[in-house]
Amino acid sequence: MESFDRERFDDVISGRHEDFSFEFYEAVLSEGSGATRSEVFRGVVVAFGTITRFPGLLVAAHRTDKASVGFLRGLFGDRLEELKSGVAALDEIYEFRSDNPDAARPLVTGKLARALEWLGETWPESPVRLALREGDGFLLIPLARNLFELPADGEPIDYTAHVEPMIADLAALLATAALVRKAGSADPKTE
């Protein structure tokens, strides 16, 4: 599997919302060199603390995007066993892998599968990738547009046209992270 060998970050936002910390990164990950350089991922990476620690690593990557699978494996390791969610549509789209399949199976066949179905409706550009590792969660949300783009220098900023959509996108990212955070929890209080 291939992985990325170059990253570029445009905007980085970190903060705390309610009871969890988060970081957003607008990122472009690519591989190769010169004219053969190709993008592996373009979008927003959301990093956040999980409610309960996952004992190991669980990854859900876009099945047909071998470069992203390679990126996640390169980031987290290659000794991951494949799991099925039991939802045919999700299993066609996602490759679920974990180094602790016994702990991952209830999440992959339960709350996490439902969360991924919702994420597919909320972020329809391309399947969201995710990873849970110990106390950390990572979402890779593919987006072609610059999420935090403001008008060019000298052009006035209009609250309704420029700021409101950005706030709505930030709220959607936080809601998405909160959903995955809850879905990745084995804590019965989060059911």
Side-chain angles (χ1 to χ4, degrees):
M1 289 286 159
E2 298 173 348
S3 63
F4 75 99
D5 59 11
R6 182 173 292 168
E7 72 260 348
R8 186 183 85 224
F9 298 101
D10 290 330
D11 295 307
V12 177
I13 297 173
S14 64
R16 184 169 189 80
H17 177 67
E18 294 179 358
D19 63 342
F20 71 97
S21 297
F22 63 86
E23 294 178 349
F24 299 139
Y25 304 91
E26 274 192 319
V28 177
L29 308 174
S30 58
E31 63 184 359
S33 63
T36 61
R37 178 156 297 284
S38 62
E39 281 187 8
V40 174
F41 174 81
R42 174 183 293 271
V44 176
V45 177
V46 183
F48 55 92
T50 58
I51 293 172
T52 51
R53 296 176 73 79
F54 179 78
L57 170 67
L58 171 59
V59 173
H62 190 205
R63 181 172 291 286
T64 61
D65 184 357
K66 296 302 179 188
S68 287
V69 173
F71 159 68
L72 291 168
R73 283 187 184 165
L75 199 60
F76 297 115
D78 200 22
R79 299 176 194 209
L80 304 175
E81 183 177 320
E82 186 169 1
L83 302 160
K84 299 289 185 189
S85 72
V87 178
L90 281 180
D91 289 334
E92 280 182 33
I93 296 170
Y94 285 100
E95 184 173 326
F96 299 96
R97 292 192 171 268
S98 180
D99 62 356
N100 188 344
D102 292 335
R105 196 166 283 108
L107 295 176
V108 170
T109 60
K111 293 187 291 182
L112 204 53
R114 291 189 301 275
L116 286 170
E117 288 176 313
W118 180 83
L119 290 172
E121 295 170 11
T122 306
W123 301 98
E125 286 187 38
S126 181
V128 171
R129 288 83 162 157
L130 71 86
L132 300 173
R133 182 177 194 159
E134 303 297 333
D136 297 314
F138 302 90
L139 283 170
L140 283 76
I141 302 171
L143 291 172
R145 64 187 168 88
N146 182 337
L147 195 63
F148 306 115
E149 186 171 20
L150 290 173
D153 287 341
E155 205 175 310
I157 295 175
D158 178 84
Y159 178 81
T160 304
H162 303 114
V163 179
E164 251 180 29
M166 199 179 301
I167 292 169
D169 286 338
L170 283 170
L173 286 169
L174 285 172
T176 301
L179 174 71
V180 171
R181 192 171 177 257
K182 185 176 179 180
S185 172
D187 185 348
K189 293 182 280 187
T190 64
E191 291 291 333

